[in-house]
Amino acid sequence: MTNHYIPQLSTIKEVIKHTDLEYTFRMTFEGDVKPGQFFEISIPKYGEAPISVSGIGDGLVDFTIRRVGKVTNEIFENYVGDKLFIRGPYGNGFDVENYKGKELVVVAGGTGLSPVRGVVNYFADHKEEVKDMTLIAGFKSPKDVLFKKDFEYWNEVMNVIKTVDTAPEGYEGPVGMVTKYIPDLKFENINNTAFICVGPPIMIKFTVAEILKLGVPEENIWISHERKMCCGIGKCGHCKIGSTYVCLDGPVFNYVEGKNLID
């Protein structure tokens, strides 16, 4: 029987810098992983932190980490060839089968693009499996944009709106919140749409409100509710909302269920 409390050593194969605070750590892992799942990454004496999967490869898994606290500060001191402890994957993730044959729209805010990047990459590589694909990604400013090389590829194979909240003089590109661009979306069949929305809770709230105004059925919307996860296996109760454990029942929820998770 596997002991879910015991992490395994993983080697850092590559470190990709996005901004001064966000880096992607490409690490070794053998096993099945879904986009939207998460791992607990730990360093002895410093603790552990839940980090979403931002990429999946052959024997590799990506973690895009923001430097915001004791554990993540220490992780940034570990680079190529070093090792970290990981345990997981945990949670239910995004099932790409839910979106095949649909007019798919992914709306992501800031680092919320990380957990859904695997879905975007999957359909970028298998664009024949969706009727249409649109990505709306919002960042605070041009210097906060993540996955710049990915955007070059995505721009070639899908509809991409990369917007920033504020921009310097002379900036060329969309400016404004992601919600600004939802009313202009057009669909062949509103009942054959699928929406994924990931980002800060307040962003999800107002984005889903705009999506519903289009007439999209609630069951066609998926969100990721990643706040307050701690142990990852439903034992500490830190992420419990009512009878729901976010780390076990989520972090990905269909909106029909997710709209009732009020903490």
Side-chain angles (χ1 to χ4, degrees):
M1 179 180 294
T2 301
N3 188 329
H4 295 288
Y5 291 97
I6 299 177
Q8 65 185 66
L9 272 175
S10 175
T11 302
I12 301 171
K13 303 299 288 185
E14 186 178 359
V15 178
I16 304 163
K17 181 179 179 180
H18 302 295
T19 73
D20 290 340
L21 292 179
E22 286 108 354
Y23 287 60
T24 289
F25 291 75
R26 184 157 292 161
M27 304 177 65
T28 57
F29 177 76
E30 296 291 342
D32 295 329
V33 188
K34 283 184 178 181
Q37 289 187 301
F38 67 98
F39 283 71
E40 296 284 349
I41 300 182
S42 60
I43 301 175
K45 299 190 297 183
Y46 289 92
E48 64 180 8
I51 306 293
S52 296
V53 172
S54 63
I56 303 165
D58 185 14
L60 298 169
V61 64
D62 288 355
F63 301 102
T64 301
I65 301 175
R66 183 177 175 84
R67 192 171 190 162
V68 293
K70 182 174 69 172
V71 179
T72 52
N73 282 343
E74 185 64 18
I75 289 172
F76 271 58
E77 298 303 318
N78 291 268
Y79 290 99
V80 176
D82 289 339
K83 299 179 186 297
L84 296 172
F85 283 101
I86 65 174
R87 59 182 177 90
Y90 298 126
N92 58 1
F94 294 100
D95 187 346
V96 296
E97 295 297 326
N98 288 325
Y99 317 117
K100 290 182 178 180
K102 305 288 182 65
E103 298 178 69
L104 176 61
V105 180
V106 175
V107 187
T111 55
L113 182 56
S114 298
V116 80
R117 175 174 173 253
V119 176
V120 178
N121 275 334
Y122 177 85
F123 287 111
D125 293 336
H126 303 84
K127 57 184 180 181
E128 73 282 356
E129 294 187 14
V130 285
K131 291 188 70 66
D132 190 53
M133 175 82 185
T134 298
L135 169 65
I136 305 174
F139 300 92
K140 288 183 179 179
S141 70
K143 66 181 179 63
D144 296 305
V145 174
L146 305 177
F147 311 117
K148 294 182 178 69
K149 287 189 177 296
D150 288 329
F151 273 106
E152 294 176 8
Y153 172 47
W154 295 339
N155 277 318
E156 296 176 359
V157 295
M158 67 182 69
N159 308 313
V160 175
I161 301 171
K162 183 180 67 179
T163 182
V164 295
D165 298 345
T166 58
E169 185 176 350
Y171 175 79
E172 296 182 3
V175 177
M177 301 293 185
V178 293
T179 49
K180 173 182 177 181
Y181 300 93
I182 293 174
D184 295 329
L185 294 174
K186 305 297 181 186
F187 303 98
E188 289 184 11
N189 181 358
I190 200 68
N191 293 310
N192 191 42
T193 56
F195 278 79
I196 297 173
C197 182
V198 186
I202 194 67
M203 169 261 181
I204 293 176
K205 175 182 177 180
F206 287 102
T207 298
V208 171
E210 290 299 323
I211 293 170
L212 293 174
K213 288 178 184 177
L214 298 175
V216 176
E218 289 186 348
E219 61 268 23
N220 291 18
I221 305 170
W222 283 262
I223 61 175
S224 187
H225 201 299
E226 300 183 3
R227 294 183 65 202
K228 299 184 178 179
M229 293 186 297
C230 189
C231 73
I233 54 178
K235 300 301 182 184
C236 71
H238 199 249
C239 69
K240 190 170 183 285
I241 304 175
S243 61
T244 299
Y245 288 86
V246 173
C247 67
L248 296 179
D249 304 310
V252 176
F253 294 92
N254 186 271
Y255 184 68
V256 172
E257 180 182 4
K259 69 179 180 179
N260 298 314
L261 299 178
I262 301 173
D263 59 356

